[in-house]
Each structure stands twice: as C-alpha cells, then as structure tokens.
Amino acid sequence: MAYKENNLPDNQYNSEEIEKRCTDFWEAENIYAYDKNASRENTFCIDTPPPTVSGSLHIGHIFSFTQTDITARFQRMSGKSVFYPIGWDDNGLPTERRVQNYYNIACNPNLPYDPDFKPEHKEKDESPRKEVSRKNFIEACEKLTGEDEGIFEQVFRRIGHSYDWSLKYTTISPDAIKVSQKSFVDLYAKNKVQLVEAPTMWDVTFKSAVAQAEVEDREVEGFFHDLKFKVEGSDESFVISTTRPELLPACLAIVAHPDDERYKKFFGKNAIVPLFDIPVPIMPAAHADMEKGTGIMMICTFGDAADVAWWKQSGLPIKQIIGQDGRIMDIEYGAGAFETLDEAKAKANFAQLKGLTTKQAKAKIVELLREDGALQGEPRRIMHAVKFYEKGSLPLEFVSSRQWFIKLLEEKDRMLAAGKEIHWVPEHMYHRYEDWTEGLNQEWCISRQRFFGVPFPVWYPVDNAGNPDYTNPIIAAEDRLPVDPMIDAPAGYTEDQRNQPNGFIGDCDIMDTWATSSLTPQIAMHFAPKDAPLSLPFDIRPQAHDIIRTWAFYTIAKALLHENTIPWKEILISGFILDPDRKKMSKSKGNVITPLNLIEKHSSDAVRYWAAKARLGIDTAFEEQIMSQGRKLVVKLFNAGKFVLAMVAASELATESNYKAHIVNGVDKAWQAKLASTAEAARKAFANNDYAQALEVTESRFWDFCDNYLEIVKKRAYSEDNKSAVASLMLTLDTFVKLFAPFCPFITEELYQIRPWKSAAEISVHKESFPSEASFSGLTGEAKLYDMVVAVVAEIRKAKTAANKPLKTPVESLEILLPADTDALLKTAQGDIENVGQINAGGITYAPAEALEVKNIVLGELVK
RNA sequence: GGGCGUGUAGCUCAGGUGGUUAGAGCGUUACGUUGACAUCGUAAAGGUCGCAGGUUCGAGUCCUGCCACGCCCACCA
C-alpha cells in the first residue's frame, strides 16, 4: 500500500496522524512478520514475557517491553529474522480474583452449568457474590480476559512494538494447555514429578497450596505467651515462650538444645500439655536455640517449616487441627493421636476452640490458659517475621494435603551450572538466581486448588469400595492432549464410571501459573509455523528482577528437564519504575497516569524515548519531563527533516538514488566522518545491550547536526554550487532515520517514506540495515576539520552573545590563530565560516600559534 | 545474620581498561531569534563526585574500613 497520498511533509508535527499512518502501513505490509525461511543462526529469538491480563497495563510494562522492542528492531536492522512472539498470560489466580470482583461472582464447583448465565460487570457493593458453576466461571474469565487483551493489544500496537501478531497466543488457550500438559506427561515419564501427601504451605484465604517462590516474609505484630508445662511424674516444671498458643492441642513434642544444662535432665521424660493433659516427649534437638525465649520450645502440627522438618525425622504422628479453611477442625479430641490423661478435660477445652479461626482460637485459648493458671504473666508484644502468600492477607498455615511436586532439589547442581552458562545483564543479577537456587529447600508444588488454569491430565482409579487409589494415577496419553479430567474420561473408562466404585475420578486441581509460564519458549515455538527452524536456546529473555526466583528459575528448570539445555543465551533484566518518592510504583497510581494518556500527550516516540533513556537493571524514578524531552527531540527530527527535504527538493539531486557520489566538499566529508563514527559507536553500544548509550551518542550527534552542521552548510545548500551540500544533507537524513529507527519508529518511518529519492526497493526504514562505519566507505574526510570549524563558529557566537547582539550581526574582522599543520585544512572551510558567522569578505586573517584560537573579533552594525 | 546494588549540580541521570578546568537534560538567570523549529538558539550560575584512610607522579574511577538508602536470601519458640 502507499504510505501517504501526497508524500509531502505535514505542516506541523501531529503524532496521532503519523502513528495511525505507520501502524496501518506496517500491518498492511507485514513489516514485522517472522521469516521462517531464515536459518536458526540468522534468527534472533526473543522469549517475550506474556503480560498478566488482570486489569490495565501499567507504565512499567511500557517501560520494559519497549526496551525489548528496541533490541528487536536493532536485530532486525542487523539482518536477523526476528522471532518476536507475544502472548497473554491469562490463566491463574490474578485473573480469577479480577473476575470475581468485576462480575461479583464466585466459583462453586458443585453447581451445575447454567447455559443462560451471562456475566455482567457490577459495581462494588455489599451484595454477596453470586455462586456459579466451574464452567460458567471459566467462561466469565475468558470473556473478561478477552476484553482486556483487546485493550492490551491496542496499547502495544500504538506504542509501536514490533511483534509478529500472527504468533499471538494466550496461556489458557487449548494449544497452550496442550504444551503445558505435555510437559507434565513428560516429567511424569521421566519420574521428575510425584504426588505426595504432606504438610504444605497453605493459604487459608485462597484455600490453595502455594510454592516456596510465592512466599514472602512480613513483619507483623505478635505476642509471646509464657506457658508453664509440668513434667510428668515429678514436681518440676518449665516455661515455654510461644507466639502460637492456639497450636497447643497440636503439640507433638518439646525440644531443647542437647547441651542445655537447664533441660538436659528432662530428656526422655514427658511434659504435660496444659489444658489438654497430653503427655508429650521432651527431646534434644540441635536446632533449638538456647538464647531464644526460654531455650525450650514446642513442636506442633505445624507452626513453621522447622516444625515440619523436625516432625519428618521424628517419626511422631501428625496432629492436624487446622483445616484447609484456616479454622480449628471438628475432631474427636482426646483419643487416637490425641491421647490424653484427662479425656473429659481435653474434650471440654477443645470444644471451645472448634470452628474458630486461628486468630479467634488464640484469643480463646489465652482466656482458658489464664483461668487454668498455665499462663505466666501477660502476653508480651513483639514484632516478628511471618510467612505470607505474596497475594494473601493472612499468614500461611502448614496443612497436610495431597499435591503434585516437581522434584527440583536433586537438580540444584545442574541448575546452578545452567545459570552460569547464561549471560546475565547486568551480571550481578546472577547472584539472585544463585542465592535462590542454593537456598531452595522444598520441591516445587505445582497443584493449586483453583479453577481457571491448566488441569492436570490425570485421573485416579476408584476401587470397589469407592476409594480412590492415588498410588496408581492414570496419566493421559500425549496424543489425547489437551484433556480436562473433570469432563473427559480416561482411556478404558466411560463417563458413567466417574465417581463410581471400580470407576475413576478426575484430578480436580489446576497447575500453578508458573508451571505454564515456565514454558514460554516452548509455547511460542508451538504457535510458530511447524516447519520453522526454531530451537532452544533462544537468544534473549527479557524480564524484571522480581521474578528471577520464579519465572527465570522455573524456565531454566523446565528447559533442563525437557530439552537438557539452557532456555536462552542471555537474560536481560530490566529495572523498575519507581514513584518519585522512590517506592515501587503502585497500581493505584498507575490508574492516574495510564500509558495511553502519556502516549496521547507526548506521542509514542516520546514515551519510547523515555523508556530508552534508562539502563538495564537500574530502577529509576518516574519523570514525565523525560517524555517532554523526547517529544522535543521528535519534533526537532520532524522539523529538521522537513527543512532538509525542502532544501533537497529544490535541487536536481532530489530524485537521484545514487546521490552519494556528489559529496566532495571537505567540510561535508568531515561531517560524514563524524556521522560515521557515531553510527559505529551506536552499533557497538547495541552489541553490548546498551541501547541507552546508543541513543545518547545518536541524539547528541543529531543536536550537533541541527545546531552546527545545518547552519554551516545552509547558505552553500542554497547557492549555485550546492550539489555536495545537498547530497551530504541527503545522506545525513538517511543516516539519522536509521539510527533513530529502533527508538522512534514512527517519525523515522514518516521521514523515510516521504523522501523524494526513495526507491521502489526501499520498503520501510525498519527493513533497512543499521548504519556502520562501512556504510560511509569513501565518503568521509578529516573529522578534525569539522571540529575546528565548529570551534571557530562557537567563538564568534560567544562574542555576539557577550555583546548582546543578534547572531546575524556582521563581523568586520577577526583573527584565527592556528597550528601550522592545520592551517591549510581550515582555510578550505573559509567560505562556510564566513557564511555562518556573517563575516565580511576578506575579514579573516590567520596567524600561526600552538593551538587554535579566535581573537580580535570586531562586530559590525546590523543593517535593518 | 549472609549477599547484591546504589550514593556525582536543586531534580533525574551519564561518566570502558585511573590522566588536562567532572558531563547531559530538566529547572533557575541573562541575552538573542539567523531562510526548519506548537518555538528554537547562545551563554551564565550551580558539584569538597556519601565519609575516612590507603596505593599512585596523578583517583569520581583501584584497595580497605565506615555511614545512609534500596533490594534479595536466611532465621524467626
């Protein structure tokens, strides 16, 4: 399609029109299509992060995604076929939460499907959430994510990200589910995944297991309670300080350090748990800290990870009293595992706790302990760190449940080696990965008791008594994927055998989002043409540093487990956008300054300029002024371009594609030498992943061009003998549009397209080769000459400014002192110097000196 | 407690392998508007380069220690 009707520059810069023209043109001409005919060596593969679709795009997205786009554009201009997919991460908890709030609904998997249910947006009110079936809930998720994704795409197109949109995927789509389930099936075959019933970190709000990587510590208020325990069969007693008295009925044992003289005598005896009169063994344990509290502590089911670890090696029975809803369970207390010396007392006390939340139970039990006399003094307030699910608001509990785990602990060494093989930018980010990998102490729990996500391709046989056999799961065959075990029956069974004796049940859990996100390279390849020469490792993975322990870590794990390779050669870690007060930018503030508002105000190119100014891995404060600065640059590009085009249009060279041969003037060739070195510097900076540096050198050369070179050649370009000047301006424009193209794809395309000398073979600036020193072969001269001319011009300007005179004030005479070896060189530029300085003919005199100097400037009178 | 990073002009940031008067943009001030410029240009003021030692002829740059801030990890009865 034709880019523009008349191919003339607009009178004024109008970002919206230019952006519209460009996006339409790129779309129509398929400028960014991935070329599968290129070899793998000639392909640059990007493992694009699929943004989480749960609400609106944040300016931080624009920031980091634009930085990747700049790299992609440079690689494309370096002759690579760029595989630059885009996907939306729409499965998982964030989406569920948003859908619940947006439609005011909640999923109840026990309800039947209602085909007439239509989700509608409801403003937040007090009305209870409408319960809907699992299928209705998933449909609501799909509806809302679909709408959100449309908006995301609009913004990403508007900001000029050069994805191949035909490769677009969503993580909840059947094909992505297939890839994810295939991964599970493969891991099962390789014995890298296992179903385990064990105490797991559990979020009571979301009623789901969580993985180590999703856990964070928060400083919260707590209280030490000093509890008196009697020692069985003696008059002795001791005091334990605990923050979790509500776990008293779940107490398994009492431990103290083996060398602790205070308690050594008790080892082997039993302590009596207050209120419940349960005898529990007093045992030595090396992890007990003599300095902390009273030096003696209780092990419960389960206070923390240390309790779990100790319990595992103790062989003692489990005493689970906290249910999956975070409340004290309804159990027959006083028998079995909870054997007691006084059943009636234990039952009576426990009955008062049943059904309470842990917080309520704590208050209740303190009351009971106080009555009982076991509580010594009053609870003492402390601040301590407690583990929370990163998206949760209540502390995690350890609840025993059946979950699928990927066995990563045995892969630690390989993981560390793989991390070293990958090039981290900036390098120090590797330490985060290393820290995390070395500190890993749990297998990766991938089951989630949620609804909107990838189902496990798993069923369990049911025996003739109606009990599921979890030891012999039925795994779906690969060619059946994707499957939903809650809808599809396993091979060899029929649907009417579901939940029946001698039948089967489906695994009702879904996978952790990361179990799917960790396969982004594999998913992207799955959505590419089947005969494309794509393979791991990809070239780059761009991402932020907060998800090194999740996304980066898990992706490396999956690539190792499946393909036995690293997933990418390089990982580029972007920084965060911080509020001006240097806190991480909050979503609430993001609503005020939305990306679209900023784009409309400053233009896409200007917003991209802002993103390009920041270096990788460095957190920067949000400063809108940088966008204004970017806009100034873009407007300047527009105006300078328009000016050059006007000067060229008057020349007979205007339509000559082989104009370069006319660059013969010394000053012009000197300028081209400067331009060539800038191009080379930009190229080198890009090769070093330092796009900010590439922009910096390009930008400063461009302002040099506008302030100096353009003024220096202006008069000559209007004169009779103007071919060299005009050709030089043409080459300059051709060069700058290419140098700026990765940063400002819109204004550069606009200028590129409306050049009168554009040939039919020239499709888009974004398909051009990025300039290098070699592009200027034979066109460059003595760069020094340019520097000297600029220095002389600067002195003349300074003299005029000092005298408060306009710059067009004529100069009667001036003296240039200069070294002998540059004398002849500078004199070749005398005409240009006279032009730009408004110097009277013959006004310049020369004298030898050590260094260049301009003296005795005599200003004339400006004739009106 | 362990690790990583940051600390340069009022603000936001640049400053390979140590080398002349430490840079940019914004902001401030003064002046000007040259044949493109919803402006633009020319200039000025503004810095003990976190602090203290050390290496060196020479340190913003290398070494040691300290301080402040941020982040990551671990512990947390």
Side-chain angles (χ1 to χ4, degrees):
Chain A
M1 76 179 257
Y3 173 79
K4 196 179 178 189
E5 293 269 313
N6 56 16
N7 266 1
L8 292 173
D10 299 344
N11 279 331
Q12 278 188 347
Y13 172 69
N14 183 326
S15 60
E16 206 167 321
E17 277 177 23
I18 293 175
E19 283 158 22
K20 174 94 177 46
R21 267 201 294 273
C22 287
T23 12
D24 290 351
F25 178 78
W26 296 334
E27 174 73 11
E29 295 291 323
N30 250 330
I31 299 298
Y32 307 121
Y34 157 63
D35 177 11
K36 65 174 184 175
N37 296 316
S39 66
R40 177 64 187 90
E41 297 76 62
N42 250 327
T43 304
F44 190 80
C45 294
I46 301 173
D47 185 15
T48 318
T52 305
V53 188
S54 59
S56 50
L57 271 172
H58 185 262
I59 190 65
H61 286 116
I62 300 299
F63 179 72
S64 54
F65 280 70
T66 298
Q67 291 168 351
T68 306
D69 182 62
I70 289 165
T71 302
R73 287 179 179 277
F74 171 75
Q75 291 295 337
R76 195 176 292 114
M77 293 181 77
S78 300
K80 291 283 176 80
S81 168
V82 177
F83 181 66
Y84 191 17
I86 181 69
W88 310 123
D89 190 11
D90 46 13
N91 86 64
L93 198 48
T95 300
E96 283 192 22
R97 284 207 299 178
R98 174 160 154 74
V99 167
Q100 286 176 358
N101 293 331
Y102 190 85
Y103 296 125
N104 200 29
I105 56 175
C107 179
N108 180 348
N110 299 320
L111 290 176
Y113 177 64
D114 174 3
D116 297 325
F117 175 70
K118 292 239 161 31
E120 269 169 44
H121 176 52
K122 292 231 172 64
E123 288 304 324
K124 231 181 181 169
D125 59 16
E126 296 303 308
S127 65
R129 284 191 176 142
K130 181 181 165 58
E131 292 202 340
V132 301
S133 74
R134 180 186 157 117
K135 194 173 173 194
N136 285 117
F137 187 75
I138 289 173
E139 283 176 0
C141 289
E142 284 167 345
K143 179 170 191 277
L144 187 58
T145 54
E147 288 167 12
D148 287 344
E149 282 155 20
I151 295 165
F152 275 37
E153 177 166 343
Q154 220 182 341
V155 175
F156 278 1
R157 281 183 186 272
R158 178 77 190 266
I159 194 77
H161 291 175
S162 58
Y163 310 116
D164 182 342
W165 287 98
S166 71
L167 303 174
K168 185 178 72 179
Y169 65 86
T170 68
T171 55
I172 198 64
S173 65
D175 277 302
I177 289 176
K178 185 174 169 176
V179 174
S180 192
Q181 289 185 334
K182 196 174 140 189
S183 158
F184 179 88
V185 171
D186 185 46
L187 293 177
Y188 188 84
K190 288 175 169 153
N191 191 26
K192 291 294 177 190
V193 66
Q194 58 185 355
L195 186 65
V196 177
E197 175 149 24
T200 315
M201 287 188 285
W202 184 272
D203 184 278
V204 299
T205 311
F206 294 105
K207 297 187 183 59
S208 178
V210 300
Q212 189 184 350
E214 295 164 293
V215 174
E216 63 185 27
D217 286 359
R218 292 186 203 158
E219 278 289 322
V220 296
E221 183 183 68
F223 290 90
F224 262 134
H225 305 77
D226 293 337
L227 307 183
K228 187 174 169 186
F229 283 64
K230 288 180 183 145
V231 178
E232 192 179 26
S234 83
D235 296 334
E236 291 188 280
S237 65
F238 55 85
V239 172
I240 284 180
S241 287
T242 179
T243 53
R244 302 211 55 187
E246 73 277 16
L247 289 178
L248 216 47
C251 182
L252 298 175
I254 305 292
V255 299
H257 194 274
D259 300 333
D260 197 323
E261 294 300 334
R262 292 169 295 180
Y263 306 112
K264 257 184 174 176
K265 56 188 173 184
F266 298 142
F267 293 150
K269 295 184 176 173
N270 283 338
I272 306 296
V273 176
L275 297 183
F276 303 98
D277 284 13
I278 305 173
V280 292
I282 305 169
M283 308 171 80
H287 79 280
D289 186 342
M290 289 192 259
E291 306 295 315
K292 267 193 184 140
T294 55
I296 191 162
M297 62 194 274
M298 55 181 196
I299 306 284
C300 302
T301 309
F302 286 103
D304 57 36
D307 282 0
V308 176
W310 190 87
W311 162 77
K312 271 187 186 159
Q313 45 143 345
S314 72
L316 289 169
I318 210 161
K319 291 186 180 176
Q320 190 73 49
I321 61 159
I322 296 175
Q324 302 194 343
D325 56 359
R327 291 174 185 272
I328 306 296
M329 287 161 42
D330 184 10
I331 42 180
E332 271 303 299
Y333 202 85
F338 301 100
E339 203 172 319
T340 160
L341 301 176
D342 187 340
E343 196 172 321
K345 179 182 177 189
K347 273 201 159 88
N349 280 329
F350 193 78
Q352 304 200 48
L353 302 174
K354 268 182 199 173
L356 300 183
T357 64
T358 49
K359 199 176 166 189
Q360 294 165 335
K362 187 175 291 181
K364 188 69 189 176
I365 207 162
V366 167
E367 204 179 291
L368 295 174
L369 285 163
R370 191 175 284 133
E371 284 168 18
D372 181 81
L375 182 66
Q376 309 289 295
E378 279 305 298
R380 309 188 312 275
R381 184 179 175 276
I382 53 155
M383 292 302 286
H384 64 156
V386 175
K387 287 194 189 309
F388 282 75
Y389 174 42
E390 59 188 357
K391 297 186 175 74
S393 53
L394 289 172
L396 289 173
E397 297 292 347
F398 281 84
V399 172
S400 193
S401 58
R402 187 177 296 103
Q403 311 286 350
W404 284 102
F405 290 85
I406 295 180
K407 295 193 267 182
L408 289 186
L409 294 177
E410 61 196 27
E411 306 293 339
K412 268 193 189 186
D413 290 346
R414 279 173 86 204
M415 295 284 294
L416 286 168
K420 275 208 179 96
E421 208 183 317
I422 294 163
H423 183 220
W424 295 71
V425 184
E427 264 173 61
H428 68 255
M429 289 295 176
Y430 169 72
H431 295 296
R432 299 222 186 161
Y433 173 83
E434 190 180 34
D435 273 9
W436 177 255
T437 307
E438 281 173 350
L440 193 71
N441 56 32
Q442 294 170 33
E443 304 290 16
W444 178 13
C445 175
I446 55 166
S447 349
R448 295 291 180 277
Q449 288 65 51
R450 304 299 307 175
F451 318 105
F452 190 58
V454 175
F456 285 84
V458 173
W459 301 264
Y460 306 96
V462 174
D463 66 17
N464 52 16
N467 297 315
D469 176 8
Y470 290 107
T471 56
N472 290 301
I474 306 164
I475 309 296
E478 206 181 302
D479 57 14
R480 275 200 71 193
L481 305 179
V483 297
D484 184 344
M486 300 306 282
I487 292 173
D488 307 313
Y493 291 86
T494 54
E495 184 55 35
D496 55 8
Q497 289 177 281
R498 185 181 292 276
N499 303 329
Q500 300 300 317
N502 296 316
F504 69 91
I505 60 167
D507 191 319
C508 61
D509 289 348
I510 59 164
M511 292 185 205
D512 172 16
T513 317
W514 295 116
T516 305
S517 306
S518 54
L519 295 165
T520 44
Q522 291 89 342
I523 292 173
M525 286 191 283
H526 180 85
F527 280 78
K530 291 292 159 260
D531 53 346
L534 297 170
S535 61
L536 296 188
F538 275 24
D539 292 82
I540 59 165
R541 148 66 70 89
Q543 68 162 79
H545 49 71
D546 56 335
I547 50 176
I548 288 175
R549 70 177 184 174
T550 49
W551 197 34
F553 177 82
Y554 290 143
T555 309
I556 294 172
K558 287 272 183 111
L560 282 177
L561 292 175
H562 292 304
E563 280 94 2
N564 196 25
T565 176
I566 51 172
W568 355 265
K569 294 172 198 156
E570 259 187 337
I571 177 165
L572 311 182
I573 306 290
S574 71
F576 278 142
I577 293 300
L578 306 172
D579 279 345
D581 62 6
R582 304 210 61 84
K583 297 275 176 247
K584 190 181 166 187
M585 203 147 195
S586 58
K587 283 226 165 110
S588 54
K589 296 219 174 163
N591 291 337
V592 186
I593 34 171
T594 70
L596 214 50
N597 287 344
L598 292 167
I599 290 171
E600 276 162 9
K601 183 169 170 196
H602 302 284
S603 84
S604 287
D605 281 337
V607 173
R608 293 175 60 100
Y609 171 91
W610 161 78
K613 276 295 208 185
R615 284 165 158 70
L616 280 171
I618 311 272
D619 294 350
T620 41
F622 178 73
E623 209 193 357
E624 199 176 335
Q625 277 178 340
I626 309 277
M627 295 183 188
S628 309
Q629 191 184 327
R631 188 182 170 88
K632 274 168 71 170
L633 171 69
V634 176
V635 171
K636 191 79 173 174
L637 265 163
F638 171 83
N639 283 311
K642 198 170 78 168
F643 185 40
V644 167
L645 288 171
M647 282 192 281
V648 173
S651 156
E652 59 199 81
L653 288 181
T655 54
E656 189 171 331
S657 54
N658 188 27
Y659 61 82
K660 288 181 197 167
H662 296 278
I663 303 172
V664 293
N665 176 284
V667 175
D668 296 337
K669 294 183 84 159
W671 161 249
Q672 295 302 336
K674 302 297 283 189
L675 201 49
S677 68
T678 298
E680 198 57 29
R683 175 180 281 276
K684 280 199 179 119
F686 263 122
N688 219 15
N689 287 310
D690 197 349
Y691 50 81
Q693 176 67 15
L695 175 58
E696 171 67 32
V697 297
T698 304
E699 190 188 3
S700 69
R701 181 64 63 214
F702 174 67
W703 287 104
D704 176 28
F705 165 68
C706 293
D707 299 344
N708 298 310
Y709 182 67
L710 205 48
E711 294 298 334
I712 290 166
V713 292
K714 201 183 259 183
K715 232 175 188 163
R716 187 151 50 82
Y718 282 120
S719 73
E720 285 288 303
D721 182 19
N722 67 353
K723 278 194 176 163
S724 178
V726 168
S728 178
L729 288 171
M730 291 163 78
L731 179 56
T732 302
L733 182 66
D734 277 355
T735 304
F736 275 127
V737 293
K738 290 174 201 166
L739 291 177
F740 278 114
F743 306 102
C744 304
F746 298 97
I747 188 64
T748 52
E749 183 76 309
E750 170 85 2
L751 292 171
Y752 177 88
Q753 294 292 342
I754 63 178
R755 294 168 309 143
W757 65 94
K758 182 174 102 71
S759 73
E762 295 176 316
I763 306 296
S764 163
V765 68
H766 303 298
K767 299 207 130 190
E768 286 283 352
S769 299
F770 197 81
S772 67
E773 207 136 44
S775 331
F776 293 83
S777 172
L779 302 170
T780 58
E782 287 265 13
K784 191 165 50 170
L785 173 61
Y786 179 76
D787 294 333
M788 290 166 73
V789 173
V790 169
V792 171
V793 169
E795 286 302 318
I796 297 169
R797 285 176 176 160
K798 204 180 271 187
K800 290 179 180 177
T801 301
N804 284 349
K805 296 272 178 94
L807 290 178
K808 64 180 168 190
T809 305
V811 175
E812 300 277 348
S813 64
L814 63 84
E815 195 175 359
I816 299 175
L817 310 186
L818 75 175
D821 59 339
T822 54
D823 180 81
L825 184 62
L826 186 65
K827 281 176 179 167
T828 63
Q830 182 166 313
D832 283 350
I833 293 174
E834 285 174 355
N835 284 339
V836 70
Q838 309 280 338
I839 302 163
N840 292 343
I844 304 178
T845 53
Y846 300 89
E850 291 283 314
L852 180 70
E853 204 180 332
V854 181
K855 289 178 78 174
N856 302 325
I857 301 172
V858 179
L859 300 180
E861 282 303 314
L862 187 59
V863 185
K864 299 248 160 126

